[in-house]
Amino acid sequence: MSNCAIVGINWGDEGKGRMVDYLTESYDVVVRYQGGGNAGHTVINSQGKFALHLLPSGIFRKGVVNILGNGVALDPESLWIEMRDVISKGVPLTPENLKISERASLLMPWHRELDSLEEARLKDKKYGSTKQGIAPFYADKYQKKTVLAGELFHPEQLKAHLTDLLEWKNLTLTGVYSAQPFSYSMLEEWLNNYCEKIKPFITDTGEFLSEAQKEGKNILFEAQLGSLRDLDYGICPYTTSSNTTAAYAPIGSGLPSAKIENVVGVVKAYSTCVGEGPFVCEMFGDEAEKLRLAGAEYGAKTGRPRRVGPLDIVATRYGVAVQAATEIALTKLDVLSYMDKIPVCTHYLVDGKRTDKFPFPSVLDSASPVIEYFEGWGCDISGARRWEDLPSAAQRYVLFVEENIGCPITYVSVGPERESIIIRK
Ligand code: GDP
């Protein structure tokens, strides 16, 4: 038996979805253990191109059981829309291959509304939220003011619980934000239109996972976003509202006894960042536009252009440590093929001093990048399938990154398709 977590090392969008899709071949169960529908994994395989937001990326493999763990922000509305879309493209979703934890908390209709209201109140100080309700959801979860998915099976108690929550939440909506209150009939509509649809998939996934562990099944834990967005270890307050780190996988999945032998950290060959907050190595102007276009760096959920920059060794080394990564998948190396010389941020300058330590969040605004340039390889590498197929300049770049982030690069991805990958093991 072996367990593995696939996590983002940087700001997210590193290509975790394609790595899960690729690696699921050797796993029996894939579990999403944190986050909600506020980011997207893009998966391209023989069944088509899919933008997944909440569904685990193992749903394309026959025989793989996919689980939404108790740590996710379970939004019945967006989940059902996503499920319908995937089913309509010919991917079967049944209670056999998709299981939702009865202990997952439900993202309520007012969470999205509150997210938008708060971003509007913040005006130019906004966090850059995707407005999917994630921050208000987790805030309420920790206040114990949400509903567990399993409560859908207890309608009498659910009604009383929802009535209490509604009364409480309307105080905030009308009092703090002068917004319209929600009514119970709006909640009934939500229950009928979305919660009822996902109900057949809700079960005791903790028990399922314990059994799977006993039977020696291989479990893959799939994270959303990356180290720098982790609630505790990321660039506060520009983080997400959950733990994106591998260490949270046992808790958020529903298998607290899980030992995770391998942590595959996904690093993109350059940096991107969606939303607000310090991004020390950010590129601007034409240089940025070229990289954004080459890498198709537009948000999977929002379509927002992503901020781009060179690979940031300082942030990446920190991300590797936070994730306790045991190996790295370096993705999108092919995107850099158009560059004559390839910039890499090797250090930061803080108060005039060169440092390779990732600073405390408040210091990041005043940090500037130290950039070194590497020779480009000047040819298309998307057909490379073996290490020897890569031009020596590309190999040198990969080896430099490996040495400086302190973790072996075992996969180099050179295209979005399942097979566009070089394995270095
Ligand atoms: P995730 O959230 O970490 O899964 O990342 P996203 O799905 O948001 O972003 C990764 C994007 O890059 C997707 O559109 C992938 O299809 C694409 N992608 C992944 N790996 C590669 C690669 O090696 N080369 C290229 N050109 N695209 C890739």
Side-chain angles (χ1 to χ4, degrees):
M1 187 200 88
S2 102
N3 291 334
C4 174
I6 300 200
V7 294
I9 294 293
N10 303 99
W11 287 263
D13 307 315
E14 298 95 345
K16 293 176 293 296
R18 69 100 64 235
M19 285 311 298
V20 180
D21 178 59
Y22 177 75
L23 291 172
T24 40
E25 195 169 16
S26 331
Y27 289 85
D28 306 297
V29 183
V30 178
V31 197
R32 266 285 306 267
Y33 60 87
Q34 50 78 224
N38 53 330
H41 294 317
T42 309
V43 176
I44 302 175
N45 55 32
S46 57
Q47 287 147 292
K49 179 175 178 178
F50 302 86
L52 301 181
H53 301 293
L54 253 177
L55 288 172
S57 311
I59 52 162
F60 305 107
R61 297 270 190 190
K62 247 195 168 151
V64 171
V65 177
N66 295 273
I67 293 183
L68 289 171
N70 51 279
V72 303
L74 188 69
D75 178 347
E77 181 173 342
S78 58
L79 176 61
W80 178 240
I81 292 169
E82 188 177 332
M83 285 170 68
R84 260 193 341 214
D85 180 51
V86 166
I87 293 168
S88 75
K89 290 178 179 158
V91 179
L93 291 180
T94 66
E96 275 64 54
N97 74 345
L98 176 67
K99 298 182 187 294
I100 301 172
S101 168
E102 62 184 7
R103 286 188 168 270
S105 296
L106 299 185
L107 188 141
M108 306 294 294
W110 48 64
H111 287 135
R112 226 174 279 119
E113 172 95 2
L114 283 164
D115 209 346
S116 296
L117 288 166
E118 179 58 10
E119 284 286 274
R121 189 192 70 81
L122 285 166
K123 295 198 177 80
D124 56 348
K125 290 185 180 158
K126 66 183 189 300
Y127 294 137
S129 163
T130 54
K131 300 182 188 150
Q132 298 298 307
I134 306 299
F137 162 83
Y138 278 109
D140 283 359
K141 174 175 171 171
Y142 284 89
Q143 288 194 82
K144 299 159 290 177
K145 300 276 195 193
T146 52
V147 174
L148 298 180
E151 288 183 59
L152 297 175
F153 295 103
H154 305 278
E156 281 312 308
Q157 286 112 311
L158 175 65
K159 191 169 182 190
H161 191 184
L162 285 175
T163 306
D164 289 347
L165 289 179
L166 180 67
E167 187 187 337
W168 172 75
K169 192 50 87 182
N170 277 340
L171 294 174
T172 309
L173 282 162
T174 58
V176 176
Y177 294 106
S178 306
Q180 290 298 315
F182 274 72
S183 62
Y184 194 82
S185 66
M186 289 161 93
L187 292 183
E188 277 178 327
E189 224 172 274
W190 170 76
L191 287 171
N192 289 331
N193 292 346
Y194 307 111
C195 299
E196 281 301 313
K197 303 290 194 308
I198 64 165
K199 206 166 146 185
F201 299 84
I202 298 170
T203 184
D204 184 350
T205 52
E207 190 178 25
F208 176 86
L209 283 167
S210 298
E211 283 303 313
Q213 184 170 253
K214 270 189 221 142
E215 290 165 18
K217 297 264 168 74
N218 296 326
I219 305 172
L220 192 64
F221 299 89
E222 178 182 11
Q224 177 219 32
L225 296 167
S227 318
L228 306 173
R229 297 294 192 210
D230 182 88
L231 180 60
D232 288 273
Y233 295 96
I235 304 173
C236 187
Y238 301 100
T239 63
T240 193
S241 301
S242 63
N243 291 105
T244 59
T245 35
Y248 186 71
I251 301 280
S253 64
L255 190 63
S257 59
K259 300 268 180 300
I260 299 174
E261 288 86 7
N262 296 323
V263 177
V264 178
V266 187
V267 173
K268 188 149 56 183
Y270 52 94
S271 303
T272 59
C273 164
V274 176
E276 312 296 320
F279 184 36
V280 174
C281 65
E282 184 163 11
M283 282 175 174
F284 299 95
D286 275 1
E287 196 187 15
E289 199 46 39
K290 270 194 196 157
L291 181 52
R292 190 174 296 121
L293 276 174
E297 295 298 348
Y298 299 89
K301 183 78 190 181
T302 57
R304 282 192 289 188
R306 293 176 182 150
R307 298 159 74 191
V308 297
L311 188 93
D312 182 334
I313 296 282
V314 183
T316 304
R317 194 184 315 104
Y318 173 76
V320 165
V322 160
Q323 294 287 14
T326 56
E327 53 186 309
I328 296 294
L330 185 71
T331 61
K332 298 189 108 167
L333 188 65
D334 54 303
V335 171
L336 302 184
S337 298
Y338 76 92
M339 291 183 175
D340 297 332
K341 47 185 192 146
I342 299 177
V344 178
C345 169
T346 58
H347 294 80
Y348 289 173
L349 274 183
V350 176
D351 295 333
K353 289 198 192 85
R354 217 173 136 104
T355 179
D356 59 6
K357 181 174 180 277
F358 192 67
F360 186 74
S362 324
V363 178
L364 279 170
D365 270 333
S366 62
S368 55
V370 176
I371 304 288
E372 255 185 53
Y373 288 90
F374 283 75
E375 182 197 347
W377 40 91
C379 63
D380 179 12
I381 57 167
S382 58
R385 295 291 174 269
R386 296 169 311 158
W387 177 247
E388 309 83 83
D389 297 340
L390 285 179
S392 54
Q395 290 184 351
R396 275 197 296 279
Y397 180 76
V398 175
L399 293 175
F400 174 83
V401 175
E402 179 174 72
E403 189 178 336
N404 283 277
I405 63 175
C407 193
I409 296 177
T410 49
Y411 301 94
V412 178
S413 160
V414 291
E417 305 80 14
R418 196 179 265 177
E419 65 284 355
S420 303
I421 197 155
I422 296 166
I423 298 166
R424 286 185 71 218
K425 291 201 195 199

